[in-house]
Amino acid sequence: VHVEVHLKSGSSVTYRSLLANEILPAIGDRDFRSIRRADVQEIHAAMKGRPGAANNMVCVISSLYTRIIEDWELSDMRNPAQGVRHFAMQKRNRFLTPEERQRVHAVIQAGLQIPAGRRGHIKLASVWALDLLALTGRRRNEILTLTWPMVDWQHSLLSLPDTKTGHLDVPVSAHVLALLKHIHEQTGSPRTGYVLRTPNGTRLRSINRTWENIRAAAGLNDVRLHDLRHSFASDALMSGVPLAVVGELLGHKTTRTTQRYAHLANHVVRQ
């Protein structure tokens, strides 16, 4: 009940997967009152080859027991996931250099010239999606699900109703508005519907494969689509934008999330 009502659909899928594949096979036949920290640690250790999933598994168990303790008012019960030491996870920050951006740009321009159906062809809608991702720092699905009613032309905002951190009004630059206006004109000036659509009018489902092809052609196999968001943050900080403002632009709920970019801000201070 809690997961379906309060969490994102992706989180629900993760919870169910960890329950079905890791938690229930290990302790599913046990009385919930019999589970100890050592039991959770044992499951966690067995998943050491997948440290991210292992840490998430501990979080799921912790969440389950939080609900048990609170909803059933079992104040004398201890959460068995409390105190389980997580595997250390290295945060990955990959930024595109100016030279790498030029390589990406060259591949995209060449792909636009290749006729549809031929190898290397890149759809214009996919290029628009990549441009919007790079210029706004938004997450992939926030751009792919963007609709025209969400574009507030008057106040230069994108009103996003369902981001990772809830509803968010995102200020955008004149450059972004000009690109949106261009897309609007090129797609028949619609009042409703998705900003990025296929020729059939359906939503552009995914640009992952397009990006994989582009990065391979540009020799940048280690650059993920999400790294465009990191590059956006890097651009802002290297231009002198304060760290707190970058956090607002990225829609971070806590300052701790933005701290991963602090070393870039320090570079600006040194200069």
Side-chain angles (χ1 to χ4, degrees), residues 125-236:
S126 295
V127 177
W128 287 337
L130 293 173
D131 283 343
L132 286 172
L133 286 169
L135 291 169
T136 64
R138 303 317 311 158
R139 297 177 179 88
R140 179 195 59 195
N141 285 347
E142 291 169 5
I143 291 300
L144 293 184
T145 59
L146 184 67
T147 64
W148 288 116
M150 295 179 194
V151 180
D152 186 338
W153 303 99
Q154 181 179 357
H155 299 100
S156 301
L157 293 172
L158 299 182
S159 184
L160 306 177
D162 189 29
T163 73
K164 188 176 181 180
T165 55
H167 181 273
L168 195 66
D169 287 328
V170 182
V172 293
S173 67
H175 196 147
V176 172
L177 284 181
L179 174 58
L180 287 168
K181 184 177 180 182
H182 174 73
I183 297 172
H184 195 240
E185 292 171 348
Q186 293 295 310
T187 54
S189 301
R191 292 187 177 183
T192 60
Y194 292 105
V195 171
L196 301 166
R197 293 181 286 182
T198 66
N200 298 328
T202 58
R203 176 191 142 192
L204 193 66
R205 281 288 163 188
S206 176
I207 55 172
N208 286 15
R209 180 59 62 84
T210 299
W211 177 249
E212 288 170 3
N213 293 336
I214 290 172
R215 73 180 188 182
L220 302 171
N221 289 319
D222 66 325
V223 180
R224 307 165 303 167
L225 191 62
H226 194 73
D227 290 329
L228 295 179
R229 179 170 164 87
H230 296 322
S231 295
F232 171 86
S234 171
D235 289 346

Side-chain angles (χ1 to χ4, degrees), residues 67 93 112 150 194 206 226 249 269:
R67 297 262 57 80
N93 287 334
L112 288 172
M150 295 179 194
Y194 292 105
S206 176
H226 194 73
L249 289 169
V269 170

Side-chain angles (χ1 to χ4, degrees), residues 97-110:
T97 67
E99 186 271 335
E100 288 173 336
R101 293 167 200 249
Q102 290 177 1
R103 281 152 60 186
V104 169
H105 179 73
V107 170
I108 289 175
Q109 292 305 308

